[in-house]
Amino acid sequence: MVSSQSAQPIDFASDAYVRDARLLDDVEFALRHGEAFLVHYAHSNSPPATPAPLAASASPFDDVSTTLNGADDDGGACTELLVLPVRRKETSHFDFVSVGRHANNDVVINDASVSKFHAIIKCDAQGQYSLFDGGSTNGTCVEGTAAPTTKDRVRPLPLTPGCGVRFGHCEFVFLLARDLRAQVKSGRFPG
């Protein structure tokens, strides 16, 4: 089951958040909510993707108070949505965003397939995001390509808006704030 214990998961049911998405410009929105996000969709009428992010009977949002209903791009029902800001916590001691199951990470994904410390997300001076696997047990992929570890001494995989990212068996879509905001404004994420 995918859930988040991250310090600041986005609450899409909040009138203030929806208002921000509709009224603030991209810069103000990013300052308030973050510049990048990992979005997990759970679909009710489509077969699970391979590898499946969730067991058929599991609820991915046990630790998140918001469950939304909406439509996906293929017209299928997107019954649950989890949005995690990709940003360092105030208490972070690193120059990167850590992803993992343990509460010390910047982005926390509470799923057995996710390692305690699973991956590293970096943002360079030009605002380009990239990803390394942190030596996880079940791997990290971007668009089906396995992410290298920092020990591999190769370039990390780039994260581009709309790309699929998998941590263990948990699948997400990477979005920048402007893209997330545009989806909220268009009604893609109900408020």
Side-chain angles (χ1 to χ4, degrees):
M1 102 179 36
V2 176
S3 62
S4 172
Q5 295 176 351
S6 187
Q8 300 177 24
I10 299 295
D11 177 2
F12 275 90
S14 165
D15 290 336
Y17 177 78
V18 172
R19 183 191 69 234
D20 287 351
R22 293 184 176 138
L23 298 177
L24 297 178
D25 65 25
D26 289 339
V27 173
E28 292 174 291
F29 181 84
L31 287 171
R32 185 168 294 174
H33 299 286
E35 296 180 6
F37 302 87
L38 292 169
V39 181
H40 172 82
Y41 305 90
H43 304 280
S44 65
N45 65 348
S46 60
T50 303
L54 305 170
S57 63
S59 172
F61 307 103
D62 289 344
D63 296 331
V64 177
S65 61
T66 303
T67 300
L68 300 177
N69 295 313
D72 66 14
D73 292 333
D74 298 324
C78 176
T79 58
E80 295 177 326
L81 178 72
L82 175 67
V83 179
L84 301 174
V86 176
R87 61 179 171 186
R88 294 173 53 232
K89 292 180 182 176
E90 291 178 13
T91 58
S92 181
H93 298 284
F94 305 108
D95 64 348
F96 56 81
V97 175
S98 62
V99 179
R101 192 177 69 240
H102 194 276
N104 287 350
N105 289 292
D106 300 309
V107 176
V108 179
I109 304 169
N110 189 14
D111 184 271
S113 71
V114 176
S115 296
K116 289 180 183 177
F117 173 73
H118 198 97
I120 294 168
I121 298 176
K122 291 187 173 189
C123 182
D124 66 21
Q126 291 77 38
Q128 302 298 309
Y129 287 83
S130 59
L131 179 118
F132 277 112
D133 183 80
S136 68
T137 301
N138 292 313
T140 305
C141 294
V142 175
E143 293 295 325
T145 301
T149 68
T150 54
K151 294 178 185 177
D152 292 334
R153 299 194 185 273
V154 296
R155 290 185 179 188
L157 292 180
L159 293 175
T160 57
C163 72
V165 183
R166 185 173 50 82
F167 303 98
H169 300 298
C170 302
E171 296 179 356
F172 292 85
V173 174
F174 177 79
L175 293 176
L176 295 177
R178 67 175 178 264
D179 304 313
L180 181 67
R181 186 174 155 264
Q183 288 190 18
V184 171
K185 288 176 70 174
S186 73
R188 172 75 171 91
F189 300 150

